[in-house]
Amino acid sequence: MRISVIGCGYLGAVHAAAMAELGHEVVGIDVDERKIAALAGGKPFFFEPGLPEILSSATASGRLRFSTDIAEAAEAEVHFLAVGTPQSAETGAADVSFVDAAFTALLPHLADGALVVGKSTVPVGTAGRLAEQLGSDAPSARLVWNPEFLREGFAVSDTLSPDRLVYGVAEGDDHAASVLDRLYRAAIEAGTPRIVTDYATAELVKVASNAFLATKISFINAMSQIAEATGADVTALADAMGHDDRIGRRFLNAGVGFGGGCLPKDIRGFIARADELGLGDTFAFLGEVDEINLRQRRRVVDLAVQDLDGSADGKRIAVLGVTFKPDSDDVRDSPALDIAVQLQGLGADVVITDPEGLDNARARVPGLASVPTTREALLGADLVILATEWREYRTLDPEAAGRLVGERRIIDGRNVLDPAAWRAAGWHYRGIGRS
Ligand code: UGA
């Protein structure tokens, strides 16, 4: 099938490459010339395992091309809208101006009977509004809302083998679903569950899922605080709770909390939309989920000060990991970076390191000292904070690391180290909510 993907950020670039990998003919469109030049050359402008391979093979085969000119989308029968919906600074709401702009720019180029597929995470009600506009400006075209659930770090496999497909369609529109079925044939044949529903439900599935995941993480992080107050162990607690299938063990890892371009923004956007709909009280708990999450970062800073005998001033602190999670170079709303900045604000001599995220961290916070290797970061440190659980940090040898630091003190912000092994090597080890 001939496809266009409008917006080639983390989501769109992966989607375009994955659709080409499935055999479709794809053009990726973005207004950012730098991104388009990189992608056209077969090179992603961000780190995502598996993406370089499918991107270079698809661009080399000619099935995937990129352009800054939206007119190049004109021949496509299916157009994916994959532009960002950033958090607006004043209200916390999702800013849909890029979705509106992409949609409006696309309208004059729609072929007869074209299908517009919304992928962006939008406030509920957006698809209905766009469908109305389509009805008056391009009546032969259709709109379907098809939210994306990919996780950074697993984006390629999540796109090629999603855990579910959700189509939000206009009432009585069977055709839109059949077009998407053809497009996703491989996943459907592999048994991927497919839910065909209305626009509002499809929009809500996305934000409700992210809000639920955020709530789960904040729940266990709140538990980590009561564990600390009572001498309980939050990891054992999560393990035991997780054996109940109704609860499940995943997303019950206590630590520095959640970050990234999705969970924090999506709960704030959801709160703002619920407010507009007169449901502010009902969703006030999501404000608490956000607050618990931010409190975890402050908590780690407080623990660091405590471990440094009451003052971080002039102390050398090595922060291992700055991305919001491993296997990504994304530092958007990263708890790790936030903690580093807060400690620097307290006068600490902070040094950050990360396998993939240093360029982005430097661009965001130019004043932070950074070094490319763990070894350099550890040298002479008074305190080490493991802030993002990259494999390299999870597998650190406490004895070898101990020979590099000034003082054997570590805060395991992700509860991924073996406390007994670190203590046996003479470290003052502290996890989050671990006895
Ligand atoms: C999230 C969702 O998981 C995806 O399903 C969704 O498609 C995506 O947002 C999106 O909206 O585009 P992602 O942002 O890539 O994906 O990251 P997650 O794997 O969900 O992790 C989010 C944050 O939670 C990370 O900072 C991670 O370290 C933290 N986390 C996760 C915890 O602190 N504890 C856990 O137990 C799990």
Side-chain angles (χ1 to χ4, degrees):
M1 296 176 78
R2 285 190 313 264
I3 295 172
S4 85
V5 178
I6 299 156
C8 289
Y10 279 89
L11 163 59
V14 174
H15 194 69
M19 290 300 108
E21 174 77 9
L22 292 174
H24 302 300
E25 254 185 57
V26 186
V27 57
I29 310 280
D30 201 290
V31 291
D32 186 328
E33 287 178 10
R34 191 186 58 91
K35 288 181 183 168
I36 288 299
L39 295 170
K43 295 214 162 50
F45 54 89
F46 56 93
F47 176 79
E48 182 60 47
L51 182 59
E53 292 79 359
I54 62 167
L55 188 63
S56 61
S57 78
T59 47
S61 72
R63 278 197 315 281
L64 175 59
R65 58 199 176 81
F66 290 93
S67 174
T68 52
D69 182 4
I70 197 146
E72 302 255 343
E75 283 185 7
E77 42 197 318
V78 180
H79 304 270
F80 285 98
L81 295 177
V83 293
T85 51
Q87 183 184 324
S88 90
E90 305 85 53
T91 60
D95 172 0
V96 291
S97 58
F98 297 114
V99 175
D100 287 343
F103 183 75
T104 310
L106 177 63
L107 281 175
H109 303 290
L110 288 174
D112 241 16
L115 185 68
V116 180
V117 187
K119 280 242 155 249
S120 308
T121 302
V122 291
V124 58
T126 307
R129 178 172 60 77
L130 296 181
E132 258 179 43
Q133 195 180 337
L134 204 60
S136 59
D137 295 351
S140 79
R142 294 179 162 86
L143 180 80
V144 53
W145 215 261
N146 172 222
E148 180 58 57
F149 304 103
L150 64 79
R151 299 156 299 165
E152 288 180 28
F154 302 90
V156 173
S157 59
D158 282 352
T159 308
L160 292 173
S161 317
D163 54 10
R164 77 280 215 194
L165 289 163
V166 176
Y167 308 164
V169 300
E171 205 180 331
D173 184 359
D174 298 334
H175 179 70
S178 70
V179 175
L180 282 190
D181 281 352
R182 269 202 288 149
L183 200 83
Y184 295 133
R185 202 184 64 215
I188 288 171
E189 282 175 357
T192 305
R194 157 188 173 284
I195 292 106
V196 182
T197 182
D198 53 83
Y199 290 141
T201 307
E203 292 166 318
L204 280 173
V205 174
K206 171 68 192 210
V207 282
S209 299
N210 278 358
F212 190 84
L213 292 172
T215 304
K216 207 172 170 189
I217 299 168
S218 278
F219 179 88
I220 202 67
N221 278 332
M223 286 298 161
S224 78
Q225 299 212 10
I226 207 158
E228 269 167 30
T230 56
D233 186 309
V234 76
T235 304
L237 174 69
D239 289 345
M241 286 173 64
H243 282 297
D244 183 333
D245 284 347
R246 296 169 304 172
I247 297 174
R249 177 64 180 83
R250 296 173 76 190
F251 276 68
L252 276 186
N253 294 319
V256 296
F258 59 81
C262 302
L263 262 48
K265 161 181 96 71
D266 287 355
I267 56 170
R268 291 168 198 155
F270 194 56
I271 294 168
R273 186 69 183 124
D275 257 343
E276 286 171 6
L277 294 166
L279 293 168
D281 288 350
T282 308
F283 288 98
F285 76 93
L286 284 180
E288 204 44 49
V289 166
D290 196 10
E291 186 46 46
I292 292 169
N293 189 53
L294 297 176
R295 207 178 289 141
Q296 281 307 98
R297 303 173 183 189
R298 296 194 293 270
R299 172 96 185 121
V300 172
V301 171
D302 289 347
L303 293 176
V305 172
Q306 240 180 60
D307 287 354
L308 291 166
D309 307 321
S311 171
D313 195 24
K315 301 283 173 47
R316 189 169 173 81
I317 302 179
V319 176
L320 306 184
V322 286
T323 52
F324 83 104
K325 69 178 198 179
D327 297 316
S328 167
D329 63 356
D330 196 345
V331 299
R332 287 176 295 172
D333 213 336
S334 164
L337 194 55
D338 195 359
I339 288 165
V341 169
Q342 289 189 41
L343 285 166
Q344 191 183 42
L346 296 176
D349 170 19
V350 176
V351 60
I352 57 170
T353 190
D354 191 280
E356 295 292 339
L358 286 186
D359 287 349
N360 286 340
R362 283 190 208 111
R364 215 161 260 253
V365 192
L368 268 179
S370 60
V371 290
T373 65
T374 310
R375 185 189 155 76
E376 289 163 276
L378 293 177
L379 276 178
D382 296 303
L383 171 70
V384 179
I385 301 179
L386 192 163
T388 311
E389 70 278 31
W390 286 92
R391 189 183 155 71
E392 184 183 338
Y393 310 144
R394 287 198 314 260
T395 54
L396 266 180
D397 172 19
E399 194 45 59
R403 286 194 288 273
L404 299 172
V405 295
E407 296 284 339
R408 294 189 177 202
R409 292 192 194 107
I410 187 160
I411 297 179
D412 177 5
R414 296 288 188 167
N415 288 350
V416 287
L417 302 175
D418 174 3
W422 282 76
R423 286 183 181 130
W427 285 77
H428 179 276
Y429 169 94
R430 198 200 272 274
I432 307 297
R434 289 180 117 174
S435 49

